[in-house]
Amino acid sequence: MAHAAPSPAGYKDCRNIWASTLEKLAEEDPRIVVVVNDSIGSSKLNAFASRFPERTVNVGIAEQLMVGVGAGLANGGKIPFVSAAACFLTGRALEQIKADVAYSGYNVKLVGQSPGIAYGELGATHHSIEDLAWLRPMQQIAIVVPADSWETEQALRWAATYDGPVFIRVSRMPVPDLDIPNRVFEPGKSELVREGSEATIIANGTTVHLAAAAADLLAQEGLSVRVVNMATVHPIDETALEAAARTGLILTVEEASIRGGLGGAVAEWTAENHPVRVERIGFDGFRSTGSVDYLFEQAGLSAEGIAARVRGAVGRK
Amino acid sequence: MTDRSNTVATIRDNALWMRRKAFTMVYNKQLGHPGGDFSSIDVLATLFFGVMRFDPANPRKADRDRFVMSKGHATGALYTGLCKAGFYPEELLETYMGPGSRLNGHPNRQYLPGVEANTGPLGHGLPIATGIAIAGQIDGASYRTFVLTGDGELQEGSNWEAAMTAGHRHLSHLTVIVDRNRLQQGQGTEETSRLDPLPEKWQAFGWDVFEVDGHNHESLLDVLGAAPGDKPRCVIANTVKGKGVSFMENQAKWHHGVPDAEQFAQAMEELV
C-alpha cells in the first residue's frame, strides 16, 4: 500500500498491536510459538523473532506446510499462531485448515494478515475477500474480525487461552478505536455501537467506524439506525440478530465478499428464524486494482455510501 | 530365544494377525484398501511392536513416540495395529466403517486413541509430523516421530515443502517411511509421474536415506530402531502391494478391490 493516502490522526494499523500482544503472550506462556511463511516483516514480527528466535518457525514460502506444521506443533504441546497474508493462508492451505486443524481438532490460531482488499493495488490475487466464506462452514473454527486495535488485542488474548481453532483477521488498514465506554470483548457477543430503531447496520472489521458515521449522518436526517459490531462471525450472536430483525431492516457491511461471509451468515439466520429484509454491502466478486480508498468508495464502503444504501433500503422495507 | 529374536517373532506373529484381521474386516464390509494395507503392515508391526515407546493407557503422554499414518486410506493396517498394541479392544474392529463407527474409512484422532492426525487427503502427514518434530526440537525432547507415506502420495507437493524444511532444520528425530510398492490407484508410479531416482531426491533435501526390504522384519527393525543421527531419516521400504496373498500381489486393482467369498477363503489359506 505504498500509495495509500495518509491516515487521519488516531487511526492505527492493527498489525502493531498484534505484534506487541503476541510478544506479551509469549512472555506469559512458553507454549506460544509463531509460524510464518517468510512473512516476518509483513506480519510485523521482527521484534518477536529477535526476542524469541527458537519460537519463530519460518517454514519459507510454503503455506500447506505452514498449516500442517501448526497442527503438529499443537500435537507437541505448543500453542501455535500461524500468521500469513490472509489470501494465502486461507486459499492455498484451505485443505490443511480443514483436515489438519478443524477436523483434527488441533489448537491452532490462524491469523489472517492484511485481509479484505488491504493489498489494493496488488489486485484480486492478493485480496482476501473470500476467507470468511471459505472457513465459515467449518464449525469448529471460531472466526473473529476485530474492528480496531483494542478488539484485535482482546481477540488475540482470548484466542491464546481458548482451547480450539480460531481464525482472526488482523487489518493493516489504519482504523480508529471505536468510542464505546466500558468495552468487554466476549467471543460470540456483539457490541452495540449506536442505538436505533428503524433499521440495523451489522458490520465488522474495518467498516464498523464507517457504519457508525453513516448512522450519525442519518440521525441528523431523523432516521434512527442501530449499529452493531459483529466481530465474531462464528459463533454468531443470535440475540443481537433477533433484536436487529425486530427493527424491520438489516444492512450488513464488511470488507469481504457479500457471498458467504457476515452478510451470508446474517441472511441465513434471518431467513430461517425471523424473515426480514437484508441488504449486503461489501465486495461482489473480484475487484480491479486501485488504492484501498478507491476500492472502498467503489463498493459504497464509506459513511455517505452506507447512508445512501440505508436510505434506499428504508424505502424498500 | 534372545530378546531380539523374541521381538522379531512378535512382529512376525502380529503382522500375520493384522493381515488376517484386516482382510476379514474388508471382506465383511466389502470396503477398504487391502492392497495398501498389506504393503504397509510389516512396517507398522515393526514400529508398534519393536521400535516405538508409547503407553496405550495414556495415549497422549507428552513424551510418547508418535506415528502419523499419512496414507490414511490404509486403515486396515492402522486399526489392526493399534488394536494389537492395546489402544482398544478387538470387538471395536467389528464395527469397521459401519454407521457411526469410530473406525472411519479414514482415521479420526478424536474417535480413536493412538491416531495422531485425521489423514485421508494425501500429502498431509509429513507436514504434520514435521511440526511435531519441530516442537520436540524446541523442547529438546527425546521422543521420535515416524510417518508413513505412500509412494504415489509423494506426487503431492506438500511433502516436498516439508522435506525441505525438515532437512533445513536437521529434524533428527523425524523418520519418514515410504511404502514403495510402485503402484498407485490407477497404474505404476513410474508410468504416472516418475518418482525415481527417489533416494537421491531425499538426499538432496538433506535427509539420511536408507533402502530396505519393507517386508523383512529384521531389516526394518535395524533401520527403524537405530538411534537418531544428525538429519531427518528417510526409509524407503521396498514393498509389494497386496503382499501375502498370491492373487493380490502387485495388482493395482487391489488398491481398493474387495474379495468375494472364494477369494477370501483362498487368502485365509495363504495367510498362515
Side-chain angles (χ1 to χ4, degrees):
Chain A
M1 276 183 29
H3 305 294
S7 304
Y11 280 47
K12 289 185 269 187
D13 178 340
C14 295
R15 290 177 302 165
N16 293 318
I17 198 78
W18 135 258
S20 59
T21 302
L22 192 70
E23 264 188 78
K24 285 182 212 145
L25 290 169
E27 274 170 30
E28 295 161 12
D29 190 334
R31 295 173 299 170
I32 286 177
V33 296
V34 70
V35 189
V36 293
N37 59 339
D38 193 26
S39 51
I40 289 176
S42 58
S43 290
K44 298 230 177 210
L45 289 169
N46 286 306
F48 184 97
S50 303
R51 213 168 141 198
F52 302 107
E54 71 291 347
R55 289 156 72 182
T56 305
V57 181
N58 186 354
V59 299
I61 306 165
E63 290 76 25
Q64 300 177 76
L65 174 64
M66 175 179 68
V67 173
V69 160
L73 285 162
N75 174 296
K78 305 298 178 190
I79 302 175
F81 282 73
V82 176
S83 171
C87 55
F88 308 132
L89 170 63
T90 61
R92 188 59 161 265
L94 186 58
E95 189 182 80
Q96 279 73 19
I97 292 175
K98 173 187 169 185
D100 306 357
V101 176
Y103 183 52
S104 286
Y106 273 120
N107 184 25
V108 176
K109 315 306 169 185
L110 304 163
V111 184
Q113 302 284 347
S114 304
I117 51 82
Y119 286 119
E121 291 88 345
L122 302 188
T125 54
H126 285 58
H127 297 165
S128 185
I129 61 172
E130 303 89 355
D131 51 0
L132 304 178
W134 285 340
L135 300 191
R136 210 164 58 79
M138 299 180 223
Q139 61 182 29
Q140 295 83 356
I141 303 179
I143 300 176
V144 187
V145 183
D148 55 18
S149 286
W150 179 87
E151 197 165 47
T152 300
E153 175 174 2
Q154 302 306 312
L156 289 165
R157 288 193 165 280
W158 165 74
T161 59
Y162 169 72
D163 184 15
V166 178
F167 174 71
I168 299 177
R169 271 183 164 199
V170 174
S171 176
R172 78 191 282 145
M173 182 188 316
V175 284
D177 276 336
L178 297 180
D179 183 19
I180 302 173
N182 306 316
R183 293 176 79 180
V184 177
F185 175 79
E186 201 180 329
K189 293 288 174 206
S190 61
E191 279 185 309
L192 185 64
V193 181
R194 294 286 187 275
E195 188 49 281
S197 58
E198 294 174 81
T200 302
I201 303 173
I202 300 177
N204 65 16
T206 53
T207 68
V208 179
H209 74 101
L210 300 173
D216 293 343
L217 288 175
L218 294 165
Q220 289 168 17
E221 300 164 17
L223 195 58
S224 170
V225 177
R226 181 180 303 168
V227 177
V228 171
N229 172 22
M230 192 68 78
T232 312
V233 177
H234 177 76
I236 203 157
D237 184 346
E238 298 187 14
T239 306
L241 289 180
E242 177 62 39
R246 278 196 234 105
T247 65
L249 173 66
I250 296 175
L251 290 98
T252 61
V253 186
E254 59 191 317
E255 187 191 347
S257 171
I258 58 170
R259 301 159 194 264
L262 175 63
V266 171
E268 285 169 19
W269 190 90
T270 53
E272 209 162 64
N273 297 284
H274 191 141
V276 64
R277 182 168 187 85
V278 175
E279 296 199 10
R280 297 162 299 153
I281 307 176
F283 296 99
D284 188 9
F286 300 136
R287 307 316 298 171
S288 70
T289 187
S291 69
V292 169
D293 292 343
Y294 168 80
L295 293 173
F296 262 52
E297 281 294 334
Q298 288 277 303
L301 291 170
S302 64
E304 183 45 53
I306 296 167
R309 280 290 296 268
V310 175
R311 287 185 205 107
V314 166
R316 292 187 284 269
K317 256 173 99 167
Chain B
M1 285 202 291
T2 63
D3 283 353
R4 180 181 165 87
S5 58
N6 270 330
T7 300
V8 171
T10 301
I11 293 168
R12 185 194 61 224
D13 292 349
N14 288 348
L16 177 62
W17 182 88
M18 288 164 69
R19 278 194 171 81
R20 291 180 63 87
K21 198 76 196 175
F23 207 57
T24 304
M25 287 155 55
V26 170
Y27 173 63
N28 287 340
K29 192 62 197 171
Q30 290 290 296
L31 280 174
H33 293 81
D37 288 341
F38 284 7
S39 69
S40 60
I41 272 176
D42 294 301
V43 170
L44 267 67
T46 305
L47 285 171
F48 291 170
F49 309 112
V51 176
M52 290 174 60
R53 299 168 308 162
F54 55 85
D55 176 6
N58 189 2
R60 296 203 179 163
K61 198 160 177 275
D63 66 352
R64 70 190 181 279
D65 289 339
R66 273 83 164 167
F67 173 71
V68 177
M69 185 68 156
S70 193
K71 49 181 295 181
H73 53 279
T75 43
L78 181 66
Y79 291 163
T80 54
L82 291 175
C83 175
K84 196 59 161 173
F87 284 98
Y88 41 81
E90 198 175 326
E91 297 80 64
L92 194 59
L93 296 178
E94 311 295 331
T95 70
Y96 184 54
M97 285 203 246
S101 171
R102 293 160 64 196
L103 304 188
N104 271 26
H106 295 89
N108 185 318
R109 65 185 282 270
Q110 306 196 78
Y111 302 162
L112 271 194
V115 174
E116 301 286 359
N118 296 11
T119 50
L122 299 173
H124 285 242
L126 185 55
I128 294 169
T130 299
I132 299 172
I134 293 172
Q137 189 181 56
I138 292 171
D139 291 338
S142 63
Y143 66 77
R144 300 181 66 185
T145 303
F146 299 90
V147 51
L148 180 77
T149 73
D151 53 356
E153 181 180 356
L154 296 179
Q155 289 155 0
E156 293 281 6
S158 52
N159 289 305
W160 300 103
E161 295 182 1
M164 196 180 298
T165 279
H168 175 76
R169 299 180 75 96
H170 286 258
L171 296 178
S172 58
H173 286 52
L174 174 64
T175 297
V176 62
I177 303 113
V178 179
D179 183 2
R180 187 73 173 112
N181 62 35
R182 296 188 167 266
L183 288 174
Q184 51 197 100
Q185 180 171 303
Q187 57 180 354
T189 56
E190 305 311 284
E191 288 76 53
T192 307
S193 187
R194 188 174 61 247
L195 298 176
D196 279 334
L198 194 53
E200 288 83 348
K201 286 190 169 79
W202 287 95
Q203 278 160 1
F205 280 84
W207 293 58
D208 283 330
V209 182
F210 303 85
E211 271 197 270
V212 295
D213 174 348
H215 301 298
N216 184 315
H217 302 134
E218 300 216 29
S219 306
L220 286 168
L221 193 57
D222 285 342
V223 70
L224 295 172
D230 174 50
K231 296 178 179 177
R233 193 168 284 167
C234 172
V235 175
I236 296 173
N238 289 310
T239 56
V240 174
K241 197 159 196 165
K243 173 72 177 179
V245 175
S246 56
F247 59 85
M248 291 171 64
E249 291 190 354
N250 277 320
Q251 302 293 319
K253 68 179 180 183
W254 281 97
H255 176 79
H256 46 46
V258 293
D260 60 24
E262 192 180 334
Q263 290 168 322
F264 178 69
Q266 185 183 337
M268 287 298 122
E269 277 179 27
E270 294 184 21
L271 291 171
V272 289

